[in-house]
Amino acid sequence: DSTIASTLELAIKGYLKIKEEAKKGLFGSSPEYKIVLTDKEVDESLSEDLKALLFEYKSYGDEFYLSYRIKRNLASLKKSLKK
């Protein structure tokens, strides 16, 4: 998913951090992913797509949880990177 790749790219470039938190449920715990935006100034060389996603994320506030679809894709990506 291009949104996942773009989110990871923004994290690598220092515009946001991705924090994993345990969410307790009826059948145990599952990971919950929180986006925490940093105060880094937007570089003009950042692609228009990344700028658009970053500004969309900023409209959600300084911290927010990812949607279920994005969480699921990040979990799969994280598992594949650990192999």
Side-chain angles (χ1 to χ4, degrees):
D1 184 316
S2 64
T3 303
I4 300 300
S6 296
T7 300
L8 290 173
E9 188 172 349
L10 288 170
I12 291 167
K13 292 180 181 282
Y15 292 101
L16 56 87
K17 294 179 183 185
I18 303 170
K19 295 187 175 187
E20 182 177 342
E21 299 177 354
K23 179 181 177 186
K24 294 182 181 179
L26 186 60
F27 300 107
S29 64
S30 63
E32 181 78 37
Y33 296 97
K34 183 194 288 189
I35 296 292
V36 180
L37 298 173
T38 66
D39 293 333
K40 183 174 178 177
E41 295 283 329
V42 177
D43 187 337
E44 290 304 315
S45 66
L46 197 63
S47 75
E48 292 302 316
D49 289 343
L50 289 177
K51 284 181 191 175
L53 182 60
L54 182 59
F55 290 127
E56 179 181 340
Y57 283 172
K58 287 183 178 201
S59 73
Y60 302 151
D62 293 337
E63 297 182 0
F64 62 92
Y65 289 95
L66 294 173
S67 69
Y68 174 76
R69 181 179 70 102
I70 293 175
K71 284 192 305 187
R72 203 170 85 201
N73 289 338
L74 271 177
S76 296
L77 179 63
K78 187 175 177 182
K79 284 180 186 175
S80 69
L81 291 174
K82 285 185 176 182
K83 292 181 181 179

